[in-house]
Every structure is written in C-alpha cells, then in structure tokens.
Amino acid sequence: SIMAAMVQAGSVSQAAAMVSSLVGAGASGDAGRVLGAMVDGGQTAQGGRVLDGMVDAGQSAQGGQTLTTIVVQGQTGQAGALLTATSDRGAGRVMDAIPTSTLATILPTMSSGALADKLSHMTPARQYELSASQLFSLMPDAPVENLVGEDPVTLGVGALRPVPGVIIPGLST
C-alpha cells in the first residue's frame, strides 16, 4: 500500500498526518480501512508505526477513533494486531482514547504478554474502568499486584479522626 511505502521510506509523520486528517474530515471509516488493509497486507508493523506517529503528533484521540471504527466495521482482530504492533507508550495513549466497551472487545484479541505491556502505559483512571475479571481471565499468569489497584479509604465528614498519643514506657492504663 502507499501508506506502508511511506512508512518504509521514513515518512511516518506524513502517513500519520494523512490518517489523522481523514479522521478530522469525518472519514474515520476510510482511515480504518487504510490501517486495516495494512494488517491484511502483512504490513501490521507499519500500521503500528503510523499509530505511534499519531501519538507523537498529539493525535491519540484520532488513533483511538480509527481503531474504534475498525471494530465497528467488524474487524476487531485488526485493531488488536495494530495495538500489539504499536509501541507500549503509544498503545497506552491510544487505549486511553478508546471507549471502554470497545476496548473490552479488542483486549481478547491481544496476547497476554502484549496486553500486560500495553496496559501499564494507560492512565490509572482508565485502567480502573476495565473489568478486573476480564483482565484476570486474559492474563492468568500476571502477578496479582499488576492487576489489582488499591482504593484508599476516604473518611466521611463525621468520621472520628485518629488522635496522636504519647506512649510512656512502664505506664499502664
């Protein structure tokens, strides 16, 4: 494809700009077909580099919209392949921009290792929106510490607060 040839020639930023401009012009379906064709043509790595270029240009939202369109077009596996081929940092940023329900359909198409690498680059707030049971089932060998977040205890307005005290050795109450 022309897009893959641009990436091969070192024009990743131009290829990314072209995909972003398609999305910006309301042609996200065309952008999805372009990247999807790269996957079908065995050029998934170049498609991942285009997504990285979009992230580098501050166009993560357009990358997320493009992958969402690919899923809507019924090509969820293509979206997973593109995320897998994207750098961990880039994939995390794009995953932050994908609606949670759409992301939940993409995650099963990714390998456990790739998924663990990419998730660590999402924002914590977005990670908490994902189903913990889905993550456990998709990454059964991942350490629990990597999959479970801690919610700090918040005290209500009327809750008793701890009072600092002084401990004097030998003094019993």
Side-chain angles (χ1 to χ4, degrees), residues 25-154:
S28 60
D30 291 335
R33 281 186 284 282
V34 166
L35 288 181
M38 292 176 81
V39 173
D40 288 343
Q43 300 160 331
T44 306
Q46 289 88 341
R49 290 178 58 200
V50 170
L51 283 175
D52 277 326
M54 294 172 76
V55 169
D56 292 343
Q59 305 292 318
S60 300
Q62 285 86 341
Q65 189 173 351
T66 301
L67 291 184
T68 299
T69 300
I70 290 172
V71 171
V72 169
Q73 293 170 347
Q75 302 299 322
T76 305
Q78 290 177 345
L82 287 164
L83 277 176
T84 299
T86 305
S87 71
D88 295 346
R89 176 186 152 280
R93 297 246 173 109
V94 171
M95 289 165 68
D96 278 343
I98 297 173
T100 304
S101 60
T102 303
L103 188 55
T105 64
I106 296 172
L107 297 182
T109 68
M110 300 172 69
S111 72
S112 177
L115 185 55
D117 292 341
K118 310 303 180 193
L119 283 174
S120 66
H121 291 273
M122 289 179 66
T123 60
R126 281 291 285 144
Q127 288 179 18
Y128 287 129
E129 292 175 14
L130 300 173
S131 163
S133 61
Q134 181 184 29
L135 294 178
F136 281 123
S137 68
L138 294 174
M139 299 182 295
D141 297 327
V144 174
E145 301 82 35
N146 293 353
L147 298 176
V148 178
E150 295 181 22
D151 292 325
V153 175
T154 54

